[in-house]
Amino acid sequence: MTAQLPRIVPFGDDAVAAAVAVLRVGAIVALPTETVYGLAADATHGAAVASIYGAKGRPSFNPLIVHVADLAAAERIALFDEEARGLAARWWPGPLTLVLPLRGEAGIAGLVTAGLETIAIRVPAHRAMQAVLRAFGGPLAAPSANVSNAISPTRAAHVAASLGARVPLILDDGPTSAGVESTIIGWGAAGAAILRPGPITAEDLGLPLAAGEARINAPGQLATHYAPHKPLRLHAITREAGEWLIGFGAVTGDDTLSASGDLLEAAARLFDALHRADAAPAERIAVAPVPATGIGAAINDRLRRAAHR
Ligand code: AMP
Ligand code: MG
């Protein structure tokens, strides 16, 4: 078997058009931002977002950052208050990500936010990412373009070395400038806090900042993971009394992750299915077995965490 290589195209009109064509069919593209190279997918397309996880081989689902062209586009997706708008006006485009309440009507795929009601969003300052966002005309989910647990790529060659044929197209615009991931700001009961340090520092922001991770992860503060409110039973083949069964493949239930047993489809549908189960009249949730191969590992990781709470 000959090793397949990704197509690496230098920044320009043709490269932007090629990237948009790939994104439109629900596939993924590696693109430079001012922080690191990102692995981008249409944020409204669940299966496209699932293929980001497939390519990265991430063993778990974390909410992803959504990139948009400008503040107006961001305000169509997230709810901004005066403080958030002020930060955006001062620092966008730039390496600052804001975690804000998600507008349900924005059509963002459940896998992007990992089922949360908040969304991490930013306007990147890089000309290539900006050009693709404008030509594509919609939000792009984009974590770093490397396999899970590898260092973040700051050059097209790093992406090719890490992901190989798992990414069909890399838009090359030289080395990225910041080299570290964006600063992330979120709001808890105590006000704004840095969730992840980055190129824009606490001093730069000149904000009263809550005391970091511990405070944010405390109950009632910003949740970083969605879990259903009901008890959840794993590896269910049949429905027991009082259960809402989420099927997979041959196991049919009240709902299914994928009737055809497709793991990418199952990943794309996972959080929506959990939300529907939570909203159903049944008191408990059961989920059919899902193979732990490929992206199935991340699905099982999420289901296990949802079952043990
Ligand atoms: P990245 O791999 O650069 O896309 O990293 C995304 C980071 O943003 C992760 O560390 C997430 O935990 C964090 N993040 C994204 N969305 C949210 C959210 N809704 N609430 C809290 N943290 C978030
Ligand atoms: Mg990363």
Side-chain angles (χ1 to χ4, degrees):
M1 203 177 96
T2 35
Q4 296 250 321
L5 293 174
R7 200 150 59 94
I8 304 182
V9 290
F11 175 67
D13 291 348
D14 291 351
V16 171
V20 169
V22 171
L23 292 166
R24 288 225 191 284
V25 297
I28 53 177
V29 180
L31 299 167
T33 76
E34 75 277 40
T35 60
V36 301
Y37 274 72
L39 192 58
D42 179 351
T44 66
H45 190 311
V49 177
S51 27
I52 291 179
Y53 281 95
K56 283 177 70 84
R58 263 201 197 178
S60 63
F61 295 125
N62 287 315
L64 302 176
I65 296 172
V66 164
H67 298 71
V68 290
D70 52 32
L71 176 58
E75 294 219 33
R76 288 195 290 273
I77 294 170
L79 287 166
F80 283 67
D81 62 8
E82 282 311 308
E83 190 178 21
R85 206 170 281 125
L87 284 169
R90 168 73 181 83
W91 296 102
W92 284 356
L96 182 70
T97 296
L98 303 177
V99 176
L100 295 168
L102 171 67
R103 287 186 189 273
E105 74 276 15
I108 298 296
L111 192 54
V112 169
T113 61
L116 296 175
E117 284 164 7
T118 53
I119 186 160
I121 196 161
R122 82 177 186 101
V123 174
H126 197 283
R127 65 172 183 175
M129 185 58 147
Q130 270 288 337
V132 171
L133 282 167
R134 287 182 189 283
F136 181 65
L140 295 176
S144 57
N146 53 270
V147 294
S148 187
N149 291 325
I151 54 165
S152 290
T154 56
R155 292 172 182 275
H158 297 162
V159 180
S162 185
L163 292 173
R166 286 190 266 184
V167 57
L169 183 72
I170 304 173
L171 201 160
D172 185 0
D173 198 18
T176 62
S177 53
V180 288
E181 279 91 347
S182 62
T183 305
I184 304 180
I185 301 277
W187 280 264
I194 292 188
L195 305 188
R196 177 174 78 184
I200 298 174
T201 65
E203 298 78 63
D204 291 337
L205 291 163
L207 267 180
L209 294 166
E213 298 281 331
R215 184 171 281 271
I216 289 299
N217 291 330
Q221 298 278 330
L222 277 189
T224 48
H225 292 294
Y226 165 77
H229 302 289
K230 297 174 180 173
L232 188 149
R233 183 169 69 91
L234 300 174
H235 309 297
I237 305 293
T238 54
R239 187 194 295 100
E240 292 177 2
E243 283 181 343
W244 172 273
L245 177 59
I246 301 174
F248 177 83
V251 178
T252 54
D254 300 286
D255 196 356
T256 184
L257 293 174
S258 170
S260 63
D262 180 308
L263 288 171
L264 273 188
E265 182 183 26
R269 292 174 56 94
L270 176 64
F271 292 100
D272 295 333
L274 289 175
H275 276 289
R276 275 194 295 273
D278 244 353
E283 284 160 22
R284 286 172 286 116
I285 306 169
V287 187
V290 176
T293 51
I295 198 171
I299 297 173
N300 278 284
D301 168 77
R302 174 57 48 196
L303 289 172
R304 268 194 305 275
R305 292 187 208 209
H308 295 284
R309 326 184 303 112

